[in-house]
Amino acid sequence: VYGIGLNGAGTTITVQEDADITDVKGISLYSQSGADNHSKLSIGGGRIITPEESTNTKNYWAVYAVKGNVLLNEGKNRDLTVVGNMQAGEGQNTAVVDASFTTSTSSWKGAIRRVDKSSIFPSTTNLTLTNGATWTHEVQSGILKGDSSFTTSRLTKLTGGDAADKAGVVRQGEKNIEIDNYGGHTRFIFGHDASDPKTINGGNVTIKSAEADSHVTFSTDPGGITDSDVKPVLNALANK
């Protein structure tokens, strides 16, 4: 079952207003192998909500791009809510997925898999988080959640807010995050073990390259943390 998508060379589909794509038992936004580098699906904003499925064996995706370009909130000026996983690339095909969450009410709950043809010909996964928009990095139900080989959401570029008070927020889950290029301000929030606050939950965050004057803040909820815990908790956060 499919929502909106591409399967033709040079094809362009633009939804300028808000979309409302919910309960698609399959792929909500797609770009298939018939697309090419000039093909583009652009969604202005709105809601893309992937339903849950208990077996974690079905191809349920918010975005799945085999080839071509899938852009969410291309103008970076609309509210956008996404629940579901994303993928860019498949096999020897590369694709671009670019999603922008730029308002305080915007959010994404899910993970992203980037499939590269090679280190020379990678797919592209860009994420923008600004003005308090939140990414809850938890794999949603579907085939990606059932894939034990999936360990890391890999981003080509993460762009945060242009100042600390306009930072985006990442609520880190158990999978790792790997960022090739980073810029802006972002706050990463980790959970911790209730009985041992020095044990920080969640996967690691790796930033390979950052622009000048970029900032990240790693934090955790203060619940259960005593004065004597503060330094070891901060050390544990620094090691994420």
Side-chain angles (χ1 to χ4, degrees):
V1 178
Y2 298 98
I4 303 174
L6 306 169
N7 195 26
T11 304
T12 297
I13 298 176
T14 302
V15 180
Q16 295 180 341
E17 303 299 326
D18 290 346
D20 191 1
I21 305 172
T22 61
D23 204 34
V24 173
K25 294 178 173 62
I27 303 173
S28 297
L29 300 175
Y30 66 90
S31 182
Q32 295 187 344
S33 59
D36 62 13
N37 292 339
H38 302 288
S39 303
K40 183 176 80 168
L41 170 61
S42 178
I43 302 294
R47 298 191 312 150
I48 302 162
I49 311 296
T50 305
E52 295 184 4
E53 67 96 359
S54 60
T55 67
N56 293 321
T57 59
K58 298 178 181 178
N59 266 311
Y60 280 22
W61 300 87
V63 177
Y64 194 100
V66 178
K67 295 176 71 174
N69 305 270
V70 179
L71 312 179
L72 282 66
N73 190 22
E74 184 178 5
K76 296 178 170 52
N77 59 351
R78 289 184 174 273
D79 293 336
L80 176 64
T81 300
V82 178
V83 177
N85 304 314
M86 305 186 194
Q87 177 162 324
E90 180 185 85
Q92 294 298 301
N93 299 308
T94 62
V96 175
V97 173
D98 189 304
S100 296
F101 301 85
T102 57
T103 68
S104 61
T105 57
S106 295
S107 65
W108 172 32
K109 188 174 184 179
I112 189 163
R113 179 163 63 188
R114 193 183 82 199
V115 179
D116 299 334
K117 181 177 180 179
S118 67
S119 59
I120 300 174
F121 299 105
S123 290
T124 299
T125 50
N126 295 331
L127 177 64
T128 298
L129 285 174
T130 63
N131 298 314
T134 300
W135 175 23
T136 301
H137 183 221
E138 296 176 356
V139 186
Q140 298 303 287
S141 62
I143 196 168
L144 188 63
K145 189 170 186 177
D147 184 353
S148 61
S149 69
F150 176 72
T151 62
T152 305
S153 286
R154 296 192 298 143
L155 299 175
T156 305
K157 178 68 182 290
L158 173 63
T159 302
D162 58 12
D165 61 348
K166 296 180 180 179
V169 177
V170 178
R171 295 190 176 276
Q172 174 63 317
E174 64 178 14
K175 302 299 184 181
N176 301 318
I177 299 174
E178 183 178 286
I179 303 162
D180 292 342
N181 300 284
Y182 172 72
H185 295 251
T186 305
R187 181 184 177 194
F188 291 82
I189 301 175
F190 295 81
H192 63 260
D193 189 286
S195 60
D196 182 11
K198 298 182 291 298
T199 300
I200 302 298
N201 300 327
N204 292 333
V205 177
T206 302
I207 298 175
K208 295 182 176 180
S209 177
E211 298 173 1
D213 299 319
S214 297
H215 298 267
V216 294
T217 301
F218 284 11
S219 63
T220 189
D221 186 282
I225 298 176
T226 65
D227 289 346
S228 62
D229 292 328
V230 171
K231 186 173 181 179
V233 166
L234 291 176
N235 287 335
L237 282 169
N239 287 324
K240 299 304 286 187

